[in-house]
Amino acid sequence: DLLTPARYKPFHGGGGGARSWTCGRVLSFRAAYEPIKVLCAREIQKSIDDSVHALLVTQIEALGLTDLFDITKNSIKGIHSGSSIIYGGLRHNAKEIKSKEGIDICWVEEAEGVSEESWKILIPTIRKPGSEIWLSFNPDDPNAPTYQRFVLNPPPSSIVRKVNYYDNPWFPEVLRQEMEYD
């Protein structure tokens, strides 16, 4: 579904569903071969350590694509593709987010905590024709703005998917044991 064109792609469910890894893998592969501009966002990001940067680097390495990227502490750029992956927090960086131009894909990780105010700023900022907004999250509150906006009342051109541990063929045994204990 991440390869099917759609404006919104909210992927939600319980822990162990591999939503973040899947988004990271697909973005890494596409950025290696396509000239895409990706914004990886979350509601609060105080430093690069709060971002998905380390996850993306891990996925790039796992896919054997390291030679196709210039990876720094704060960004990832496709050497041949011209792609770029950047990061940003939504709550405290509204003006910075508004200035982002030409975003092809915005991946919002931990999207459950994104406020309605942040959605009102982010959505019109991601306005390039054909642009997409990907969401990955564990829903905890059915009244949360993200759940209301994208799961219960999804906008047109949405692919809404509930993805859980049973959808993950690599679900780790340690999580299975914890789940069974709980």
Side-chain angles (χ1 to χ4, degrees):
D1 290 328
L2 289 175
L3 297 175
T4 302
R7 171 70 172 163
Y8 301 101
K9 297 177 181 179
F11 284 57
H12 64 96
R19 289 175 301 281
S20 299
W21 272 41
T22 302
C23 288
R25 281 193 170 220
V26 172
L27 282 177
S28 297
F29 191 80
R30 287 189 60 187
Y33 299 104
E34 297 176 39
I36 58 172
K37 187 172 183 181
V38 178
L39 169 63
C40 298
R42 60 189 332 138
E43 180 71 354
I44 298 174
Q45 180 179 305
K46 295 178 183 174
S47 73
I48 198 71
D49 292 336
D50 295 333
S51 75
V52 293
H53 183 71
L55 181 148
L56 287 167
V57 171
T58 300
Q59 295 308 313
I60 288 167
E61 291 169 352
L63 292 166
L65 301 173
T66 307
D67 293 343
L68 300 177
F69 290 99
D70 177 20
I71 300 171
T72 68
K73 284 190 337 184
N74 298 317
S75 69
I76 299 173
K77 297 190 184 308
I79 295 170
H80 304 291
S81 67
S83 62
S84 65
I85 300 174
I86 57 176
Y87 309 92
L90 301 173
R91 181 176 295 171
H92 302 296
N93 300 307
K95 290 181 182 176
E96 180 183 314
I97 293 297
K98 281 183 178 180
S99 70
K100 303 295 183 199
E101 181 67 32
I103 301 294
D104 295 292
I105 298 172
C106 177
W107 172 24
V108 183
E109 171 68 327
E110 301 292 341
E112 167 78 2
V114 176
S115 66
E116 185 62 25
E117 293 77 27
S118 292
W119 285 122
K120 287 179 181 179
I121 292 168
L122 179 66
I123 290 171
T125 299
I126 311 303
R127 61 180 166 265
K128 183 176 179 181
S131 60
E132 298 181 352
I133 299 173
W134 299 6
L135 298 80
S136 53
F137 64 101
N138 298 339
D140 292 322
D141 180 3
N143 296 314
T146 299
Y147 195 78
Q148 288 288 319
R149 179 184 278 268
F150 296 105
V151 177
L152 294 181
N153 303 295
S157 189
S158 293
I159 298 175
V160 181
R161 292 291 179 261
K162 184 173 186 177
V163 182
N164 277 314
Y165 72 93
Y166 45 75
D167 299 307
N168 179 2
W170 300 279
F171 186 67
E173 185 58 29
V174 66
L175 284 184
R176 182 175 313 284
Q177 290 172 3
E178 290 293 331
M179 177 186 68
E180 290 170 356
Y181 173 75
D182 284 348

